[in-house]
């Protein structure tokens, strides 16, 4: 079992390894942050953003919360998005959910954990919005998996609907929003099919991805 001191020792070892491989690594990062990607993912400890896409520090701006939710009143998420798009000028915003998400499961089963229930209400809204489709599925796991995918789709569309993306697309335009989903089972990311590079892409991308999620066999 790891103790707190082990974390600090691991950190020293990691820094030493980085320096040995690239003596300029930290001095370069200290003076510049120019990530191309913004990742909006789940806080789940099994979905470490940089690691699963093989990126080093400095390469990806990251926002994580329980069940990768994007709501228009969340100043935290909106600030990250605004800074990433307008100041860092990321080229891609990736909303990445994951199968087996505890937050999605809690929302689906309407379990109560306290304060977080209010946050997960956003995912319950997604479930209610797609009630007809989800209710027609057989087997709890399948519906839960579909809800994980639908949640990615809804949250990716929410990103597109923010003033940040709307303004970016109206002015310089060079940012694309993607909806991805990660599998804890095999460590692989799948695309939901949602991708939007301009305002006109959003509705079409949403409906195409929705159709592909709905007609899935497994
Ligand atoms: Co999760």
């Amino acid at each position: 079992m790891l103790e707190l001191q082990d974390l600090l020792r691991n950190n020293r070892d990691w820094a030493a390894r980085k320096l040995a491989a690239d003596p300029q690594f930290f001095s370069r990062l200290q003076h510049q942050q120019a990530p191309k990607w913004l990742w909006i993912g789940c806080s789940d400890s099994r979905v470490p953003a940089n690691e699963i896409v093989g990126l080093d520090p400095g390469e990806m701006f990251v926002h994580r919360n329980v069940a990768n939710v994007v709501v228009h009143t969340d100043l935290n998420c909106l600030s990250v998005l605004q800074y990433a798009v307008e100041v860092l000028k990321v080229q891609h915003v990736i909303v990445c959910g994951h199968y087996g998400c505890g937050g999605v499961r809690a929302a689906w089963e309407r379990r109560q954990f306290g304060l977080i229930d209010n946050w997960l209400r956003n995912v319950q809204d997604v479930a209610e919005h797609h009630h007809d489709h989800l209710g027609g599925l057989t087997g709890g796991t399948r519906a839960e998996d579909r809800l994980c995918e639908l949640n990615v789709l809804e949250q990716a569309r929410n990103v597109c609907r923010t003033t940040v993306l709307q303004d970016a697309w109206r002015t310089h335009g060079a940012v694309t929003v993607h909806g991805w989903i990660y599998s804890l089972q095999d460590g692989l990311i799948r695309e939901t099919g949602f991708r939007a590079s301009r305002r006109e892409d959003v509705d079409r991308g949403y409906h195409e991805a929705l159709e592909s999620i709905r007609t899935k066999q497994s």
Side-chain angles (χ1 to χ4, degrees):
M1 194 71 177
L2 285 172
E3 301 292 342
L4 197 64
Q5 285 305 317
D6 296 321
L7 270 60
L8 296 170
R9 198 194 56 236
N10 285 351
N11 166 253
R12 287 192 296 273
D13 293 348
W14 171 81
R17 278 199 308 277
K18 283 285 176 198
L19 268 184
D22 177 0
Q24 307 305 318
F25 185 75
F26 292 109
S27 53
R28 203 173 49 244
L29 277 183
Q30 202 182 353
H31 298 295
Q32 189 189 315
Q33 173 175 231
K36 247 172 84 175
W37 295 278
L38 165 63
W39 176 276
I40 299 176
C42 183
S43 298
D44 195 302
S45 63
R46 299 164 297 179
V47 194
N50 283 59
E51 197 174 329
I52 61 175
V53 290
L55 292 179
D56 263 333
E59 296 187 302
M60 190 159 70
F61 208 57
V62 173
H63 175 79
R64 290 167 69 181
N65 62 45
V66 175
N68 42 272
V69 170
V70 177
V71 281
H72 298 287
T73 48
D74 178 10
L75 198 58
N76 183 355
C77 182
L78 291 180
S79 301
V80 170
L81 187 63
Q82 188 254 331
Y83 189 75
V85 171
E86 292 180 14
V87 183
L88 296 173
K89 302 209 182 301
V90 296
Q91 294 166 27
H92 302 275
V93 178
I94 300 160
V95 176
C96 187
H98 67 105
Y99 296 113
C101 181
V104 171
R105 180 174 307 137
W108 176 244
E109 295 176 350
R110 296 182 174 273
R111 295 182 64 185
Q112 295 189 319
F113 289 101
L115 179 69
I116 194 170
D117 302 346
N118 298 287
W119 181 251
L120 294 177
R121 177 68 238 184
N122 293 297
V123 184
Q124 282 181 13
D125 289 346
V126 174
E128 277 175 21
H129 186 66
H130 296 281
H131 176 264
D132 287 351
H133 169 64
L134 292 169
L137 296 171
T138 49
T141 310
R142 268 187 71 199
E144 212 179 278
D145 285 349
R146 283 306 83 81
L147 181 54
C148 290
E149 293 163 352
L150 292 167
N151 185 49
V152 166
L153 181 58
E154 294 294 340
Q155 307 311 334
R157 183 167 67 166
N158 283 347
V159 169
C160 298
R161 287 173 163 176
T162 59
T163 53
V164 178
L165 263 289
Q166 295 286 312
D167 287 349
W169 281 336
R170 208 175 45 241
T171 51
H172 61 86
V175 56
T176 304
V177 179
H178 309 261
W180 288 2
I181 186 150
Y182 173 78
S183 169
L184 297 171
Q185 233 165 35
D186 59 14
L188 296 176
I189 291 169
R190 277 111 180 144
E191 295 178 275
T192 60
F194 182 81
R195 185 183 299 119
S197 302
R198 48 198 188 121
R199 284 175 74 154
E200 295 72 29
D201 293 344
V202 180
D203 282 346
R204 187 180 43 79
Y206 176 88
H207 289 292
E208 280 176 10
L210 185 60
E211 192 53 30
S212 117
I213 291 169
R214 280 180 172 167
T215 52
K216 265 188 170 180
Q217 293 307 308
S218 58

